[in-house]
Amino acid sequence: MFKPALKTKTEQLSSALYLAEFKLVEPVHSKPLPLQFTNIWIPGVDEIPMSIADYEEEKQVLRIIFKVVGEGTRSLRDRSGFFGVKGFLGNGFKTRGHDRILFVAGGSGIAPLPLLTRYCTIDNCIVDVVWGVKSSDMLFNIEKVALNPGSVYYATEDCSYGFCGMVPQVLQYIIEKEGVKWSTIIAVGPKPMLKSICSTIDPSIEVYVSLETMVKCGLGACGSCVLKPLPKLLCIHGPVFKCNEVNEFLESTHD
């Protein structure tokens, strides 16, 4: 189930975020869509789900962007050698047919952006970006990892750089200020942020959210990632949904 992959690079992007690059030893005969994820097996430590930040099919190179939050991600940062890669998992987002997308990220939610811009470079769509974090030391230059991004709006909660405030409020301000008719918004970040965006954005704009919850097997067998109270599994039906498909989950108090 897992394919061996050699970690070829670890780079610190900011005070909180890291990029890891893997060379797949066995060829994968499919390529991931934006917002799909993979399970990384760290031998002797854990199996952890990770958003796919980027993938170069011709080189069989996989990249992830992550925040260190526990033993698994700490080992992912510090260890060298071979790891296991399962996937690509979940349902992704198809960029074809979308003219202008606004990608909205909170914190490490920026991770899926590079693959999204790679697809949009091929499919002739523009990806503008709103990225909010707690403080400026968590930011890095998006153009360092993403191909051909459009307009980029940075925001910090402590007002140390860019727009001042929380992501949902900054997003509303930018939409009103710029007057750009985005056909689609894709939001990735904490559950309260997604809930706020889904409840406040003009319904004429199609809004997609990428969810997070406990994921173990990634194959729909263990039931760990059920989106209570909905009869949906993140690893099978998601992680990307339209707001109206998961409003009950966003409104719930379940983890």
Side-chain angles (χ1 to χ4, degrees):
M1 190 65 67
F2 284 98
K3 292 184 177 291
L6 177 65
K7 190 168 79 165
T8 56
K9 178 181 179 181
T10 303
E11 179 182 355
Q12 185 167 4
L13 298 174
S14 71
S15 66
L17 298 175
Y18 295 83
L19 179 146
E21 181 177 283
F22 300 88
K23 171 72 173 177
L24 301 180
V25 176
E26 297 179 9
V28 177
H29 300 294
S30 64
K31 57 183 179 180
L33 290 173
L35 302 176
Q36 282 191 286
F37 67 98
T38 181
N39 274 15
I40 304 290
W41 176 54
I42 307 159
V45 179
D46 204 355
E47 173 185 344
I48 53 178
M50 285 284 154
S51 295
I52 297 169
D54 205 1
Y55 179 70
E56 293 187 55
E57 184 179 21
E58 65 281 2
K59 297 180 180 179
Q60 294 284 290
V61 168
L62 171 72
R63 299 183 184 93
I64 60 172
I65 294 173
F66 63 99
K67 181 180 180 180
V68 174
V69 294
E71 183 183 5
T73 47
R74 191 175 303 111
S75 297
L76 188 58
R77 177 193 65 188
D78 296 339
R79 288 180 60 165
S80 58
F82 285 90
F83 294 73
V85 173
K86 183 195 291 182
F88 309 114
L89 304 173
N91 289 314
F93 179 84
K94 296 179 180 179
T95 55
R96 188 163 297 174
H98 295 270
D99 296 324
R100 191 169 195 131
I101 296 168
L102 182 59
F103 182 85
V104 183
S108 59
I110 198 67
L113 176 64
L115 189 61
L116 179 66
T117 60
R118 183 178 293 277
Y119 269 82
C120 269
T121 297
I122 297 169
D123 291 335
N124 295 314
C125 55
I126 298 170
V127 182
D128 299 313
V129 183
V130 176
W131 183 21
V133 296
K134 291 184 177 181
S135 58
S136 59
D137 63 298
M138 299 177 66
L139 295 170
F140 60 84
N141 183 357
I142 282 173
E143 293 185 4
K144 185 176 181 180
V145 299
L147 293 170
N148 306 317
S151 299
V152 178
Y153 308 90
Y154 297 99
T156 50
E157 292 179 21
D158 67 356
C159 307
S160 57
Y161 185 82
F163 289 90
C164 175
M166 305 284 285
V167 169
Q169 290 71 41
V170 171
L171 173 61
Q172 285 283 12
Y173 174 78
I174 289 170
I175 290 175
E176 294 171 5
K177 176 177 178 291
E178 298 295 337
V180 177
K181 298 295 183 180
W182 285 285
S183 60
T184 305
I185 290 175
I186 301 173
V188 187
K191 187 177 177 181
M193 183 194 97
L194 302 182
K195 174 183 174 181
S196 179
I197 289 172
C198 283
S199 63
T200 57
I201 293 298
D202 188 321
S204 66
I205 301 175
E206 196 169 49
V207 181
Y208 292 83
V209 293
S210 184
L211 303 181
E212 292 183 356
T213 190
M214 176 71 71
V215 176
K216 292 184 178 178
C217 74
L219 303 173
C222 69
S224 66
C225 63
V226 63
L227 301 174
K228 297 177 182 179
L230 299 172
K232 296 180 185 290
L233 295 172
L234 182 141
C235 70
I236 297 296
H237 304 105
V240 59
F241 298 91
K242 292 182 180 179
C243 283
N244 60 12
E245 296 177 314
V246 291
N247 276 331
E248 288 181 71
F249 169 76
L250 294 176
E251 294 287 343
S252 76
T253 57
H254 294 284
D255 291 335

